[in-house]
Amino acid sequence: MGEKMTSATTNWATPASVELLYVSDEPRYVASNRSVRVGGMNEWQRKAIGKVLEYKWQLNSNWDSYESNPISEWVTCAATKLVEKVPFDNVPAPRVVPVSGGGIQMEWSKGHRDLEIYFRPDRTIEILKIVDGVPLNDGEGLTSINLGVESIFSWLNAA
Amino acid sequence: MAGDADAALPDYANPPVDETALSIQFSPIPNFGIQHYGLYWAKVRDEYPHFQVRTPVPSVTEQAESPIPRIQLDLQVVEAPEVRCWYVDRSKNRLFQIQTDRFIYNWRRINGNEPYPRYPKLRDSLAAEWRKFCDFLTSENFPKPQVNQCEVTYVNHIEYDKGWNGYGELHKVIAPFAEPGRKTFLPMPERANMELHYRWRDDSGRLHISLQPVIRGRDGKEVLQLTLVARGAPKSSDDESVFKCLDHGREWIVKGFADFTTESMQRSIWGRK
């Protein structure tokens, strides 16, 4: 991430491992503006991250006329980090939408399977797996520090 | 003085700079704790009404023998959590950052239309804030900081489709890329990442240049980010030496940028005078 060169700038912390998603909004650079390095990413990842940051940039308070907050720093970090960590190229591009309250929802569809991931401003991530329009779970609540990214997208890719 | 030397340096009407950071690194101030960050905010709050707490940036020291600077590792036993505090002005364009071993002054674009205020002005602002901070340390019976490194960072965002069209035309942006028309086995690169390190002629520091595609946080737009970091050791901790070192670093950045990027981009896109 270039820490050796810049000694510190605003980006996020390194994940504990490929399998774990460690979400932190703590940048370690002297520069304060945030940017996400996308050199090794594929097209869908770059577009999804661009959309998340665009919402973060564009949506002010009350953006939905229901007094929703802007997209929070944590939500931005979590959504970006998750997209960065998906270890497959053959994942379809997700639909990225803001949700009331200041969260982000990402939706992937492949074959009969849909995957919806909600990044909530209360620092929770919720995952919904859907097969033929029927949810498999009731919103699988996960802590923000332990998320098996590979297994979730393996499930989607198995469609 | 930065102002005198400035006339000899390349200047641009529309420089692609997105952020600059001027950093003074010193030996950790013993017993400087969370209460002091708050006390200091009380002194500057009128001008810097926004406050944020961040994780400290690591201490970095240039090594004579290696182009990779030494980063002091974060693994340490501490009695209280270490923090870095941001003091942000009303416009959010300017902020300074304090941690137990660094003082950093930043200017950044927020909406993208702000004119770059130029180094001499930022240097003066850093000098004023640094003096205020040193006065505060004295008033709280802390010793004067023992400065060990000065660092100048320029983050430039080079937008796509302005003077070049994709990574196959990187030679239109980056001067050292030669023979653009040569027939090769390899197709045009999709994207490129690069790091270069240059030793200062007097061996007191280095210029580091990095190049990578990024998605810009403030608008979600993909750009080519060209970051220049000049870091070196001042001869002593007195203000004259510290600011001389910062000026030297800035000179390397400006001249380095002019060498590293093409004249056509400088003239047609960034308005080199």
Side-chain angles (χ1 to χ4, degrees), chain A residues 4-8 10 25-39 41 46 50 53 57, chain B residues 18-19 54-57 60 69 84 97 102 106 108-110 151 191 213-215 217-218 222 225 231:
Chain A
K4 286 176 182 172
M5 278 201 41
T6 57
S7 84
T10 38
D25 47 13
E26 297 298 336
R28 306 291 308 269
Y29 300 97
V30 293
S32 60
N33 270 351
R34 166 162 300 169
S35 55
V36 180
R37 296 175 184 200
V38 293
M41 290 187 201
R46 289 188 291 129
L53 295 175
W57 161 249
Chain B
D18 190 69
E19 180 163 7
R54 301 278 168 160
T55 311
V57 296
V60 183
R84 169 175 47 141
Q97 312 179 49
R102 268 196 200 237
N106 295 57
R108 58 185 179 174
R109 289 192 204 277
I110 293 294
E151 186 179 301
R191 259 167 255 110
V214 300
I215 294 177
R218 65 177 154 79
E222 189 174 325
Q225 180 167 284
R231 185 188 301 112

Side-chain angles (χ1 to χ4, degrees), chain B residues 55-217:
Chain B
T55 311
V57 296
S59 172
V60 183
T61 304
E62 287 296 328
Q63 301 297 295
E65 65 279 7
S66 163
I68 306 301
R70 188 180 65 204
I71 300 178
Q72 301 230 325
L73 209 357
D74 327 10
L75 191 58
Q76 52 185 310
V77 179
V78 292
E79 290 178 359
E82 298 280 341
V83 296
R84 169 175 47 141
C85 291
W86 286 11
Y87 304 79
V88 185
D89 80 342
R90 261 172 239 291
S91 70
K92 299 191 179 173
N93 291 121
R94 292 185 309 134
L95 68 145
F96 66 87
Q97 312 179 49
I98 297 176
Q99 61 186 53
T100 188
D101 60 356
R102 268 196 200 237
F103 188 96
I104 307 162
Y105 187 83
N106 295 57
W107 173 85
R108 58 185 179 174
R109 289 192 204 277
I110 293 294
N111 62 36
N113 300 320
E114 308 92 325
Y116 170 51
R118 311 286 155 176
Y119 175 77
K121 194 170 175 185
L122 298 176
R123 180 192 190 277
D124 288 349
S125 301
L126 167 69
E129 297 301 342
W130 173 244
R131 266 195 301 274
K132 269 194 263 179
F133 179 61
C134 289
D135 289 346
F136 170 75
L137 292 177
T138 305
S139 71
E140 293 291 324
N141 297 317
F142 286 108
K144 184 170 169 51
Q146 295 303 301
V147 179
N148 51 44
Q149 294 281 282
C150 296
E151 186 179 301
V152 181
T153 300
Y154 277 51
V155 181
N156 298 286
H157 284 173
I158 301 168
E159 298 193 355
Y160 298 163
D161 301 326
K162 287 187 178 174
W164 66 305
N165 187 18
Y167 286 84
E169 294 186 351
L170 204 52
H171 61 278
K172 290 186 176 176
V173 182
I174 306 304
F177 277 32
E179 295 187 83
R182 190 166 63 97
K183 285 196 188 315
T184 59
F185 166 75
L186 292 173
M188 292 297 122
E190 279 184 274
R191 259 167 255 110
N193 292 283
M194 188 189 292
E195 282 191 11
L196 300 100
H197 310 273
Y198 300 89
R199 191 188 287 248
W200 290 358
R201 288 188 179 83
D202 64 0
D203 271 354
S204 64
R206 278 194 183 78
L207 173 68
H208 306 273
I209 297 180
S210 73
L211 183 77
Q212 65 271 121
V214 300
I215 294 177
R216 186 159 59 195

Side-chain angles (χ1 to χ4, degrees), chain A residues 115-135:
Chain A
L115 176 65
E116 296 181 1
I117 303 185
Y118 301 82
F119 302 89
R120 302 196 186 286
D122 64 0
R123 297 190 174 220
T124 58
I125 299 171
E126 192 174 297
I127 295 176
L128 197 58
K129 294 175 180 170
I130 300 165
V131 176
D132 290 327
V134 180

